Amino acid sequence: MTRRARRTHSPAFKAKVALAAIKGDKTLAELAQQYDVHPNQITTWRTQLLEGAAGVFGGAPAEATEPVVDLKALHAKIGQLALENDFLSGALTKAGLLSAKK
């Protein structure tokens, strides 16, 4: 018995098969034979279609947009923290609380 090479199906094909399964005109076995796909795969596609159908009618967006980052403010904060670190390390070294070795 020879193995079949792994196939990839287009989203349009998956939607067509899933809609045919939802209609219920034919059994899963008949659809599987017609489209040359395993019945478990048809069931999976049907479930995915039913779960994602709410998003078509104005549900939450699938991908959240990244928040806008203010680079100038971040660079200013980095500079401020670097200055504070230098000041504190110098003060602690003079006070003898920080060894000269790094």
Side-chain angles (χ1 to χ4, degrees):
M1 186 170 174
T2 60
R3 291 188 80 153
R4 176 184 284 186
R6 187 176 184 105
R7 296 180 294 172
T8 56
H9 301 286
S10 69
F13 176 77
K14 293 176 185 179
K16 183 171 112 176
V17 175
L19 284 174
I22 290 173
K23 283 182 186 176
D25 295 340
K26 296 182 179 180
T27 65
L28 284 179
E30 292 171 341
L31 290 173
Q33 186 176 17
Q34 178 182 349
Y35 292 109
D36 194 26
V37 178
H38 196 275
N40 291 345
Q41 188 65 62
I42 296 173
T43 303
T44 303
W45 291 342
R46 182 182 65 199
T47 304
Q48 289 174 352
L49 179 65
L50 291 174
E51 289 174 354
V56 174
F57 297 106
E63 295 181 21
T65 59
E66 293 184 21
V68 178
V69 178
D70 185 14
L71 288 179
K72 286 186 179 184
L74 291 176
H75 287 146
K77 188 66 174 176
I78 291 170
Q80 177 189 356
L81 292 173
L83 185 65
E84 289 174 1
N85 282 341
D86 290 342
F87 173 78
L88 290 174
S89 67
L92 289 174
T93 302
K94 286 181 185 178
L97 299 173
L98 184 67
S99 65
K101 297 179 185 176
K102 283 191 178 183

